[in-house]
Amino acid sequence: MTRPTTRIDAKFAELAAAGKKAFVTYVMAGDPDYDTSLEIVKGLPGAGVDVIELGLPFTDPMADGPTIQLAGQRALEAGMTLERTLQMVRDFRAGDSTTPIVLMGYYNPIYARGVDRFLAEAKDAGIDGLIVVDLPPEEDSELCLPAQAAGLNFIRLATPTTDDARLPRVMQNTSGFVYYVSITGITGAAEAEASDVGPEVARIKAATDLPVIVGFGIKTPERAQTIAAISDGAVVGSAIVAEIGAGKPVSEVLAFVKSLADGAHAG
């Protein structure tokens, strides 16, 4: 089956043609409140962000460290819901029709809404891809395959513990890009080391034609540069979410994002 080209596909093709690495950011939708969060998200492309991962707040985020857990709590306490997250994407799309948005979260809120309804609403709102961390390849019929049929990329995580026997299964129905989790454990923990990540990226690239983007443990422009240099790009989440959690003004948050983007693009 031929899949339609998504904004994610188009962005990576554009970056490859320019010989550039991708800079991807994660922020929690609705953190610390709807209006501030929307202002930050709207400012990300201008700060050099190529792909936006938008976190869907959830009460039991098992893969996330304290920084992102607290962001989710702040967002939920401020009244953020799946409905309002979709509205945030619509509000963003009113001024930006090209920057890819990946919704990242857990299956429970999607399941509760109903997969068919959710996919139709997500596509209509302007979401381009999904990362759902608690759905393994064995459950592809639940969401992955319906999402692809609806024209959304389904992006899979590979980790240091994804061995050669497991890797083909993980890659099987993945599209858009592969998110390589550079460390074992939760978000915001240890720092990613290029010497550890490089061989793993090469191993994954031997198994797929998709771009391989590295996340977890990237906190500085220098680290973003070294990781982007041995992959197709870098993801930063916790370090940015920590700035938001510290109550920094939007302008300071975006200046920090730009420093990271400059680092990744120099990779």
Side-chain angles (χ1 to χ4, degrees):
M1 185 180 77
T2 304
R3 258 189 333 101
T5 300
T6 65
R7 290 185 186 93
I8 297 169
D9 301 325
K11 173 57 72 174
F12 280 106
E14 173 194 321
L15 289 166
K20 285 180 69 177
K21 301 304 177 76
F23 181 58
V24 182
T25 54
Y26 171 96
V27 293
M28 181 67 73
D31 175 34
D33 57 70
Y34 187 94
D35 291 342
T36 305
S37 183
L38 179 60
E39 187 181 352
I40 291 167
V41 173
K42 283 182 172 180
L44 292 175
V49 175
D50 298 302
V51 179
I52 298 168
E53 289 179 4
L54 193 60
L56 178 60
F58 182 52
T59 50
D60 189 23
M62 62 186 181
D64 294 310
T67 301
I68 290 178
Q69 285 186 30
L70 288 168
Q73 288 175 16
R74 289 191 297 267
L76 291 168
E77 286 166 8
M80 205 60 182
T81 59
L82 175 53
E83 177 59 51
R84 296 195 79 200
T85 302
L86 292 170
Q87 185 58 48
M88 181 172 286
V89 177
R90 293 186 200 103
D91 290 344
F92 175 85
R93 285 282 172 235
D96 186 319
S97 61
T98 57
T99 303
I101 293 182
V102 176
L103 191 67
M104 185 171 186
Y106 297 85
Y107 186 43
N108 183 285
I110 296 169
Y111 177 80
R113 198 169 189 82
V115 167
D116 292 345
R117 177 186 176 191
F118 166 76
L119 289 174
E121 291 175 341
K123 180 73 174 167
D124 180 68
I127 289 168
D128 305 294
L130 303 174
I131 298 176
V132 182
V133 297
D134 54 349
L135 276 183
E138 287 73 17
E139 308 296 338
D140 274 358
S141 59
E142 284 280 325
L143 182 64
C144 172
L145 297 178
Q148 310 253 36
L152 296 170
N153 290 126
F154 198 88
I155 295 144
R156 193 85 71 189
L157 305 182
T159 75
T161 57
T162 307
D163 63 19
D164 288 341
R166 180 68 174 164
L167 190 59
R169 187 70 183 266
V170 172
M171 296 296 110
Q172 188 174 8
N173 293 314
T174 303
S175 65
F177 60 92
V178 178
Y179 187 136
Y180 178 67
V181 176
S182 63
I183 54 175
T184 52
I186 53 176
T187 58
E191 289 219 40
E193 296 291 345
S195 57
D196 298 332
V197 173
E200 289 295 293
V201 170
R203 184 170 70 91
I204 295 165
K205 289 183 78 66
T208 181
D209 294 330
L210 294 171
V212 179
I213 309 302
V214 178
F216 283 48
I218 301 171
K219 301 174 182 178
T220 64
E222 295 74 24
R223 192 57 55 106
Q225 181 175 351
T226 59
I227 293 298
I230 47 92
S231 65
D232 295 305
V235 186
V236 179
S238 293
I240 296 166
V241 172
E243 296 285 299
I244 297 168
K248 299 281 182 72
V250 171
S251 59
E252 284 188 29
V253 173
L254 294 175
F256 177 58
V257 171
K258 185 177 187 310
S259 72
L260 294 162
D262 290 345
H265 289 145

